Amino acid sequence: MLDPLDDTLRSEILRYGQFVEAAYRSFDFDTSSPTFGSCKFSKNSLLTRSCIRETGYKPIKNLRATCGIQLPGWIDRGPSWVSTQSSWIGYVAVCQDKEEIARLGRRDVVVVFRGTATCLEWLENLRATLTSLPDDVPNVGSHGGGAMVESGFLSLYTSGNATCPSLQSMVREEIGRVLEAYGDEPLSLTITGHSLGAALATLAAYDINSNFGNAPPVTVISFGGPRVGNQSFRCQLEKRGTKILRIVNSDDLITKVPGFVIENNDMAVNVAGLTGWVQKRVEEAQLVYADVGQELRLSSKECPHLSKGSVASCHELSTYLELVNGFVGSNCPVRATAKRVLGEHHRKKLASL
């Protein structure tokens, strides 16, 4: 279904991408505003006022993330936006449209996360060393050890303060409510996000499947996400049946960090004896990651009007959605070239008859 990309799957990816776009449009990015870091719209009007097409979904919960970094006292003397610890990060919405429920064959619940937007979120992103998940049971296998994830992502997911509970607590509480309200009918849970939001989506999926024995099928649609955890973390996700579609732009640097994926030869060194030494140092530094899920690999360079884009533009959600919309398959990456490539294939087939 990925190569060539199935048209129905393409439509679903774009549909969930719109939910992430709504999160960006709803966030107050204005650092001069007293409401910086909040949602500009009420919960009920979020999807309509963010100007995305009719979805049939109703937002039921706003989500906030809190930075766990301890700040020095003098930081309070600077602009307030520099030290904003808690900010609106996304929302939970439930499908209420009968036709959409019939089309899907179930009631879908979507959890949506935006990407990095505040100074402290950027600082958390830079905490690239792996750390053990709380209360994780070591995953005994060829690689040993337990599931570990990026320190900063885990901090944003699990940190809270006196005025704001942790994102983890909010997600667990809302999923519990959803299961209680709709548990007697077919359900699906789709978690989606871009950039940092993609990392949080992966953590949320792991958390939900670990803590709800009656959880519905959980799917993650990740746009431009960084690496999240080690190989044991990936194995635990697979063991729990979490489905992850990781959409990657080959020209997007964010998808190549943090850390290294040694098993995928990201660190291949053509000097005898050096590879093992480097690998050992990286392992000691807790920087060995593993990619998760199924990958849909795209490339800005294959799209004529995106090929000269900047490093930043290669990571933008709009770039990802445009690439998904235009992608056909690895043999003809962009729809604009599809007719020519398919025509050549047809001529070759006729010549062989």
Side-chain angles (χ1 to χ4, degrees), residues 71 87 169 293 323:
L71 300 172
S87 58
S169 297
L323 288 173

Side-chain angles (χ1 to χ4, degrees), residues 316-327:
E316 291 173 355
L317 177 63
S318 58
T319 297
Y320 272 84
L321 297 182
E322 188 164 352
L323 288 173
V324 170
N325 188 51
F327 181 76

Side-chain angles (χ1 to χ4, degrees), residues 16 19 26 32 40 48 51 152 155 169 182 191 231 238 270 288 301:
Y16 287 108
F19 287 116
S26 301
S32 65
K40 296 186 293 185
T48 54
C51 301
S155 174
S169 297
Y182 303 107
I191 313 177
Q231 183 159 345
E238 293 171 350
N270 296 321
V288 180
K301 291 179 181 177

